[in-house]
Amino acid sequence: MADKTDTTSEPKPGDASRNTPPGPAHVSRRRLLGTAGAAGAAALVAGGAAGAAGAEAVREGPDPLSSVGSAAVPFHGPHQSGILQPAQAHAHLAAFDLMPTADRKAAAALMRRWSDATADMMDGRTPQGDELGVALDAGPSSLTITFGFGRTFFDRTGLAAKRPDALEPLPAFTADALDPKRSEGDLWVQIGADDTLVTFHALRMLQKLAAGTARMRWQMNGFNRTPGATEQPMTGRNLMGQIDGTNNPKQSDANFNTRIFVPDDRNGADGWMAGGSYAVVRRIRMLLDTWDNLSLDQQEKVIGRRKSDGAPLSGGQETTRADLNKVGSDGALAIAGDAHIRVASPATNRGAAMLRRAFNYHDGFRDDGAPDAGLLFVAWQADPLKGFTPVQRKLDRGDGLSRFLRHESSGLFAVPGGCERGEYVGQRLLEG
Amino acid sequence: MADKTDTTSEPKPGDASRNTPPGPAHVSRRRLLGTAGAAGAAALVAGGAAGAAGAEAVREGPDPLSSVGSAAVPFHGPHQSGILQPAQAHAHLAAFDLMPTADRKAAAALMRRWSDATADMMDGRTPQGDELGVALDAGPSSLTITFGFGRTFFDRTGLAAKRPDALEPLPAFTADALDPKRSEGDLWVQIGADDTLVTFHALRMLQKLAAGTARMRWQMNGFNRTPGATEQPMTGRNLMGQIDGTNNPKQSDANFNTRIFVPDDRNGADGWMAGGSYAVVRRIRMLLDTWDNLSLDQQEKVIGRRKSDGAPLSGGQETTRADLNKVGSDGALAIAGDAHIRVASPATNRGAAMLRRAFNYHDGFRDDGAPDAGLLFVAWQADPLKGFTPVQRKLDRGDGLSRFLRHESSGLFAVPGGCERGEYVGQRLLEG
């Protein structure tokens, strides 16, 4: 499936020319900068020397200096956007519930409106009838918008027969303190971009397009590092200060696609999910006051990695495979028995794997002075029973990190495959 | 005062070399990119051609492609940071109240701790004893931290005799719906940076350093466009979609310094405020559902500017001076009598002026489905009675925009001048 994956991979500077911006002046300005950005990237590849550079060098080298705004992700393709692309600097997660009067036909019309507007916005165009203006001047800024269906969607639209078994409710975990008002929902939307006004505009646009059909159930804001804040792209840090996501499955892994995406040849109730994926969404509050009071040494033992550079405590650097059997000179395991990376490791989970693509959140402070902050955890897998559920069961029993976390909300959504031109997301379900 | 202003002006790429990062590896990586970034900027100046470029071109040209992370603002100088620098992409505003046991000496010690940590963080160094780790790897990312004293600070520290008259409470306005819990406070902190983890780290660091002396009273998150999201730096848009801030005073204006900063030769209770400024902070919620239902034409009449490019309705482009007397072919004023830019114009306010340096905010949605979003308005002036107060009085009576706004919180703070090496912010007040 390498050819398919290519269509949804990280955008390259040259993609900017794909845009059809609102007016001619806009076009020329964007194109001018696109060119200059490519030249700048070439200079970086050349190690700082401002020599001549060909297009080849631009495409192959790292590109931390290219224009943030002009990066565009394709909307059409076998998978929806917002799964394989690196997590952007800003995100809105939101769930909508269908109004009592909305039937399958109304839901289909909404998915059509949402898909059309999304295709426009991801390509840097202003959707028809959009006078909000909030995202004007900015490029698409790597905007992705991902749509999913919750368990309750199928009853409300008379599609219960097509509800996948994979949408069975997740088991309860001891670290759960779930708020039903901020959990689940008929429809789920994940918006990500590298600019806050681009994400806000997309969120408002989708909300407007839902008027009369669906109502917002909950909504959360997330963030990651700004492009260019670090000297080179690297695994991000979470609000505990830990480098988080090192051990994520890679697209180059042999079984990546079968683990993350529902295969094309699936028969049964979820045949319409070919190319899709299941998203587990958890709002995980970090007890940061407690955490920050641990010594650096204690924190590193809980995680099993060095805080400064993410290297496993068994040695090496961030990307070195953790040696779970290594014993230190003191006779103790280098990576403790309850260390997070041991308990979460695929090696101790019969190969269970999910693609984590998380955002930090910070919604001010609670009455006790502790930050209302943590992780908007989003995990992708072809089957939650082979991804999130077994891993979380194990973490729930033996993870030393669990006592610093509270899962405050939860959602499980069927995210259908992408659509081709002229189609809309979910069409195979809603018209199949 | 041009020489003084220079020390706090917009950082240049070359400033990155001023940093003293935690370790040698960090130094070399940052320096490497600093060089490459400069080369990229040079390529942009050269119009996209990747030819040879000298250091001269780098310094003089626009630099949208330089490393976001490595930009550093000086902490020491005649004015505090966070006033003259362009508003960053992310901000935290917070107020702290002194604990009952905290006296003037404790407050002075806190200001010393805060100042020392701020000097480190703004320069990309890890403050002494800081193991939070949240901002590791990132550069200072244009971090600024600004400290102010509220009216109540002076009673609690036995310094009532030094309280400036300018801190007299602001008058009540009809658009006010103020929440006292999110208003005022003994101490005010404004944190801004182009990276969310850098701002969060600074906020947590200040909170930790306040432990035992001051408690957080309120805290708000704000944002502006991400660097590089637009093709060239431009006046930002607010969440109404309007280009906002066009008519701000410029540092090149003849009377800029006397309008914004308290002069050095001030006698009386606020002599310690030399080089300082007064900050008016208002959380202004926008009634976006109502606003977005107006037609584009109606919105533009309310503001007095074209939404697409910010040009005044009297003609020209964004920076063209509005012709408030111009009458259109229909016999009506081109800029309506209650248009926001007419009522707010210095020309109709006897020259009253303030430097607005605002951030957008979005804290999810209210129960009625309307976004809890708007502007964290921060305005700077040498005297609120010649800045915010007369302008807001006028807006309160005649501004067509007022009916789409609710002022939900308010604060007025005395922000002392900057400090020199070895000093701390507020030292002239607390030890004077």
Side-chain angles (χ1 to χ4, degrees), chain A residues 363-414:
Chain A
D363 290 339
F365 287 76
R366 295 157 64 94
D367 290 342
D368 63 358
D372 185 3
L375 205 64
L376 300 181
F377 172 95
V378 183
W380 298 93
Q381 56 258 296
D383 182 351
L385 289 176
K386 295 178 184 162
F388 175 78
T389 301
V391 175
Q392 185 58 27
R393 269 217 182 95
K394 199 131 172 295
L395 291 173
D396 203 39
R397 284 193 301 264
D399 179 18
L401 184 60
S402 292
R403 63 185 190 277
F404 303 98
L405 306 176
R406 292 287 178 279
H407 288 236
E408 295 192 330
S409 78
S410 179
L412 172 59
F413 303 97

Side-chain angles (χ1 to χ4, degrees), chain B residues 3 5 16 52 80 189 208-209 225 249 268 299 366 409 415:
Chain B
D3 52 333
T5 316
Q80 286 193 63
V189 176
K208 277 178 85 85
L209 291 171
R225 197 129 256 177
Q299 291 183 353
R366 295 158 63 95
S409 78
V415 172

Side-chain angles (χ1 to χ4, degrees), chain A residues 63-142:
Chain A
D63 188 17
L65 301 183
S66 73
S67 168
V68 169
S70 63
V73 177
F75 171 67
H76 297 104
H79 311 303
Q80 286 193 62
S81 71
I83 305 173
L84 293 176
Q85 293 77 27
Q88 299 96 330
H90 302 285
H92 299 301
L93 305 185
F96 290 79
D97 283 338
L98 291 171
M99 290 179 171
T101 52
D103 57 6
R104 171 175 164 173
K105 204 173 147 188
L110 173 59
M111 293 309 298
R112 167 74 76 186
R113 291 195 298 275
W114 275 359
S115 297
D116 289 350
T118 296
D120 282 338
M121 292 188 288
M122 285 178 58
D123 210 18
R125 296 187 302 266
T126 300
Q128 187 86 28
D130 167 16
E131 294 185 345
L132 295 174
V134 178
L136 285 180
D137 314 309
S141 304
S142 299

